[in-house]
Amino acid sequence: MLPFLLVSTRPEDEAVEAEYACFQRVTGLDENSLEQVRLDMLGLPDIDVNAYTGIIVAGSPYGTTTPDDKKSATQKRTEAELAHLFTDIVAARTPCLTTGYGTEVATVLRGGLVSRAWAEDPQMVDIMLTEEGMNDPLLDGFPREFPTYVHHREAVERMPEGAVLLAKSLTCPVQAMRMGENFYATQFNPEIDSDAIRIRLSAYEDAGYGTGGDFDSLVLIGRNGPGTHQAGLLIRNFMRIAQAAQQAGN
């Protein structure tokens, strides 16, 4: 079986290392089975999309709605390189899962609309599956509603033509979608252990401290969770979809 690839677009070393460890934990894959490429001063390296069972393109603090004259040279290069990568992925029919910023870049590339109208402050929200989501293998084993952690300044407002809505929340109309054959996207970050965050929030509330306030610390707790939470199942389901596609000679 070919390895999986994690494409990290975050510019901060510490965050990138934590992200990789988090994906390793939730997938159960070692460094030989889950490779990572990341941005550096020279940008992303060339990627042979045919060399992987599936590709995950993760989030970033960058935003596609930032005016061009306000974008850094690094962000502009990142968006151009991701556009090239997504074009190769679609052409090769390599299974792909995007989250956060990766989802936003893929949406814009495919003709959808991203705006700041549906930004979500750091919080736990209930994700609600659509009828299509209830029947999609990406969300196999999920209840109709499940809680997860969200935090984003922009979000998909209009899906690309042909995309299928799989999940939403009251505060964001597109939380998960299928943009093509074995090409999936989430607005939230399913690798972050939302169960660990929810448990800590409950502890704060029980102690009379409201929501706890320090969401940076909560995200660290989520990134160090056991990796068996509900949202993490989505990533493991994607792995099964990708492995089945490879075995079928996709």
Side-chain angles (χ1 to χ4, degrees):
M1 186 71 66
L2 297 173
F4 283 82
L5 176 68
L6 172 63
V7 179
S8 294
T9 63
R10 300 180 185 277
E12 314 93 351
D13 288 341
E14 186 175 351
V16 168
E17 292 172 3
E19 181 175 77
Y20 180 66
C22 197
F23 272 101
Q24 275 194 302
R25 190 157 40 248
V26 79
T27 60
L29 298 176
D30 61 24
E31 60 184 13
N32 295 315
S33 299
L34 180 63
E35 297 181 11
Q36 182 187 38
V37 297
R38 53 161 298 179
L39 282 173
D40 57 25
M41 293 301 293
L42 299 177
L44 288 172
D46 289 334
I47 297 172
D48 178 4
V49 298
N50 292 296
Y52 299 98
T53 295
I55 297 175
I56 300 170
V57 182
S60 169
Y62 295 138
T64 59
T65 59
T66 303
D68 281 346
D69 61 348
K70 301 294 184 182
K71 291 179 181 178
S72 67
T74 301
Q75 178 175 347
K76 291 179 180 179
R77 186 180 66 234
T78 299
E79 291 181 3
E81 290 172 341
L82 286 181
H84 177 72
L85 175 62
F86 286 139
T87 299
D88 287 350
I89 286 172
V90 171
R93 300 173 66 191
T94 302
C96 182
L97 172 66
T98 66
T99 71
Y101 177 67
T103 291
E104 292 148 16
V105 173
T107 296
V108 172
L109 178 66
R110 302 182 75 149
L113 176 66
V114 173
S115 77
R116 299 194 177 192
W118 302 101
E120 291 180 300
D121 292 330
Q123 60 185 298
M124 297 292 294
V125 303
D126 288 328
I127 304 294
M128 301 173 289
L129 305 192
T130 64
E131 288 298 326
E132 291 83 359
M134 290 289 293
N135 294 296
D136 194 284
L138 184 73
L139 295 161
D140 184 40
F142 277 76
R144 192 60 184 263
E145 295 187 16
F146 67 97
T148 197
Y149 173 83
V150 297
H151 180 204
H152 50 93
R153 294 175 298 168
E154 58 185 29
V156 177
E157 181 167 341
R158 186 183 70 244
M159 297 187 301
E161 183 176 356
V164 176
L165 181 66
L166 302 179
K168 58 186 178 179
S169 65
L170 292 177
T171 49
C172 185
V174 182
Q175 289 284 6
M177 61 180 164
R178 187 178 67 245
M179 288 199 280
E181 183 182 10
N182 297 330
F183 195 118
Y184 291 96
T186 67
Q187 185 60 63
F188 59 94
N189 295 96
E191 78 278 8
I192 295 178
D193 193 336
S194 48
D195 282 356
I197 293 176
R198 179 173 50 81
I199 290 168
R200 182 56 60 92
L201 281 172
S202 296
Y204 283 140
E205 291 173 353
D206 291 344
Y209 291 111
T211 62
D214 187 355
F215 279 95
D216 287 340
S217 294
L218 288 171
V219 170
L220 288 176
I221 292 168
R223 288 203 181 279
N224 289 304
T228 57
H229 56 290
Q230 185 69 60
L233 175 60
L234 184 150
I235 299 175
R236 295 187 288 277
N237 283 346
F238 169 71
M239 291 169 58
R240 284 192 286 271
I241 291 169
Q243 289 164 343
Q246 182 181 341
Q247 292 171 352
N250 186 47

